[in-house]
Amino acid sequence: MQRVAKILQKVLQLLLWCATVSGAESKPFTVIVIPDTQYYVDFEKQKAGGFAIDSSTLLIEEMQYIASRSVANGGDVAFAAAVGDVWQHMSASEDTGHTRRGIVSSGPDEGLQTLIRPRQLREIEIPQAVEAYRILARSGVPFGIAPGNHDYDAMWAIKLPGTDAPQVHIGGLDNFRRTFGSQSEFFKGKPWYVGAHDGGTNSAQIFEAGGYRFLHLALEFQPGDAVLAWAETVLAAHPGMPTLITTHQFLHPRGDRELRDGMNLALGDPVGNNTPEQVWQKFISRHDQIFMVLSGHHSGQATRIDANVFGHKVYQLLSDYQGRGQAGLDAGQKRYDDGGVPGIGDGWIREMKFLLDGEHPRVEVRTYSTHYHAYADQLATYAVWYKAREQAQVSDDEFVKKDGFVLELDDFAARFGRRKQ
């Protein structure tokens, strides 16, 4: 009887959810990309830690903005994708799972050791992240979170044979699993949360908007073959459904999928990890229903369009604003000794408005600050504040256009059909 009751409850939840989205079938809709939020909740970037402002308030403002624009509140936000690095610090210096396989530290690394702050992580950073995501959850917007490298339990340096420089390695997702796993308050029992791997460190969601049903996969940092195999089973269970992938690290600000940050996990653990290029070659390019990839990790922005093995376009977008710190300077925060700006993110998020009617389906991409209440192209100081750190080689006008542009989905209808009438 209990099993029957649970099934009936699930069916009822699904019917209620479908009822909330079916009325907006033919309308344009927005997908929000939530870039790296680690500095918002960083315990060192709050007033109690000596910072000029409580940076966590900027994350709260972001979530309130998204919630206010949810479909349930009369807006057009149908989904939110978080690219990871939800918090900044870690709880251990090594991961026992890797230790058992011999992937151990090459010795103490002072820089990495500063990231190990288990008490502050669990008492300040994770609770602040939970408070913010509860706002999003209460709005009814379906969402997915891909864990970033800072969301892992441990980070350490490993020495590889034949190399001089150590490689940074990460492991363990117990903190993430407890907070955002499949059994967490955010996803357990949600009708739109349709799959999980390894307790929810990788997950799948469905949302309905614009006359289509979309699939979203949130994949861990440099996902290994086991993760990709699971993702293929999700695609097989939802054939032909237009699919977005969110993974923390994929596109570099230069517009390629190269690794330049000393974090090629596949060098030390090829069984458990793939580079972004390997993920493209092994998985993304071989599944025609995947049409978009979202990522963060690298400060800056980039857009790349490649044809998959079927000849169809895959739109890859990087958006990461964690290094922006004008909001702190406005409040009196001092620069670093070298003149650098303590980054907090300044409330910038990506808005992707899908317009799938007519002969020319497209996505209008804009970048908005919930702190400055303005889009990138509305701030005269936008390039002055941010270009030198992120894209110094381009003109001011080109820099602004990197955060406001249109993606022409010229093969979308051929791949997925016309919208439902």
Side-chain angles (χ1 to χ4, degrees):
M1 290 297 293
Q2 287 183 340
R3 180 178 176 81
V4 173
K6 288 182 178 179
I7 293 174
L8 290 174
Q9 183 182 32
K10 188 79 172 179
V11 171
L12 179 60
Q13 289 176 331
L14 181 59
L15 290 172
L16 289 173
W17 173 65
C18 289
T20 65
V21 300
S22 60
E25 280 187 348
S26 63
K27 297 178 181 178
F29 65 93
T30 296
V31 172
I32 299 288
V33 183
I34 303 172
D36 306 42
T37 60
Q38 62 205 74
Y39 290 142
Y40 292 136
V41 300
D42 185 348
F43 76 91
E44 296 179 305
K45 294 187 174 180
Q46 316 301 324
K47 287 182 178 179
F51 206 72
I53 61 172
D54 283 321
S55 298
S56 59
T57 60
L58 276 69
L59 180 57
I60 296 294
E61 290 170 357
E62 283 189 354
M63 296 305 188
Q64 289 173 335
Y65 174 80
I66 299 169
S68 71
R69 292 192 52 196
S70 68
V71 171
N73 286 321
D76 69 347
V77 174
F79 190 79
V83 303
D85 274 2
V86 181
W87 46 75
Q88 169 70 354
H89 291 88
M90 300 176 180
S91 57
S93 56
E94 286 190 50
D95 167 52
T96 55
H98 283 80
T99 301
R100 286 194 295 267
R101 294 190 289 128
I103 305 172
V104 297
S105 172
S106 60
D109 185 298
E110 292 184 5
L112 296 181
Q113 287 300 310
T114 62
L115 292 172
I116 313 303
R117 295 290 185 271
R119 183 182 63 81
Q120 292 91 338
L121 168 68
R122 291 168 178 156
E123 295 180 5
I124 299 174
E125 295 183 4
I126 291 178
Q128 287 181 159
V130 168
E131 179 186 357
Y133 272 94
R134 281 175 176 162
I135 296 171
L136 182 60
R138 287 194 295 267
S139 75
V141 172
F143 64 96
I145 308 173
N149 53 296
H150 282 264
D151 301 323
Y152 283 71
D153 301 332
M155 182 182 291
W156 67 99
I158 61 174
K159 184 69 167 61
L160 302 175
T163 63
D164 295 326
Q167 284 282 324
V168 175
H169 209 78
I170 54 177
L173 281 166
D174 288 343
N175 293 320
F176 185 88
R177 196 178 291 107
R178 279 191 292 267
T179 309
F180 295 118
S182 55
Q183 297 303 303
S184 71
E185 63 180 275
F186 298 106
F187 302 123
K188 185 178 181 180
K190 295 295 190 294
W192 43 264
Y193 189 89
V194 297
H197 174 71
D198 191 23
T201 57
N202 301 267
S203 61
Q205 300 80 31
I206 285 179
F207 65 97
E208 186 168 343
Y212 295 86
R213 297 183 77 213
F214 291 84
L215 176 66
H216 174 264
L217 295 175
L219 303 182
E220 65 186 59
F221 189 86
Q222 297 183 19
D225 288 349
V227 173
L228 301 185
W230 165 79
E232 288 182 331
T233 67
V234 178
L235 293 177
H238 303 87
M241 190 176 293
T243 300
L244 302 89
I245 303 290
T246 298
T247 189
H248 183 61
Q249 183 186 38
F250 192 76
L251 200 61
H252 189 273
R254 294 185 185 179
D256 56 43
R257 295 184 289 267
E258 298 296 323
L259 297 177
R260 298 184 178 89
D261 59 356
M263 289 195 69
N264 186 339
L265 305 186
L267 290 178
D269 185 13
V271 174
N273 301 103
N274 285 295
T275 67
E277 184 60 31
Q278 288 173 321
V279 173
W280 168 261
Q281 297 291 346
K282 291 182 178 182
F283 174 62
I284 292 172
S285 68
R286 297 181 179 274
H287 292 276
D288 198 31
Q289 68 191 87
I290 300 173
F291 75 98
M292 184 172 285
V293 183
L294 307 171
S295 64
H297 184 65
H298 299 287
S299 291
Q301 56 289 97
T303 303
R304 177 181 177 131
I305 304 172
D306 288 304
N308 61 22
V309 298
F310 305 93
H312 290 139
K313 293 180 179 179
V314 181
Y315 305 85
Q316 303 144 72
L317 292 87
L318 162 70
S319 49
D320 178 10
Y321 309 112
Q322 62 179 296
R324 299 181 172 185
Q326 187 63 38
L329 298 181
D330 293 344
Q333 179 63 36
K334 294 181 179 179
R335 294 176 178 267
Y336 293 126
D337 292 341
D338 63 0
V341 177
I344 52 177
D346 287 357
W348 292 99
I349 58 175
R350 270 278 172 89
E351 297 181 4
M352 302 192 302
K353 188 171 185 177
F354 285 70
L355 300 100
L356 302 180
D357 273 344
E359 295 299 317
H360 303 286
R362 65 192 186 278
V363 179
E364 296 177 351
V365 181
R366 300 189 76 186
T367 305
Y368 183 77
S369 171
T370 56
H371 179 74
Y372 288 108
H373 308 289
Y375 288 95
D377 58 4
Q378 295 174 331
L379 275 179
T381 53
Y382 191 72
V384 175
W385 285 351
Y386 305 128
K387 190 189 77 168
R389 177 182 174 89
E390 296 174 4
Q391 302 280 352
Q393 75 281 6
V394 305
S395 69
D396 288 3
D397 184 59
E398 289 173 323
F399 179 71
V400 174
K401 288 180 179 178
K402 283 180 175 290
D403 277 320
F405 52 92
V406 175
L407 296 173
E408 300 290 348
L409 304 183
D410 43 26
D411 61 10
F412 190 87
R415 294 164 76 176
F416 305 114
R418 297 291 178 182
R419 69 172 180 83
K420 294 182 297 184
Q421 299 297 323

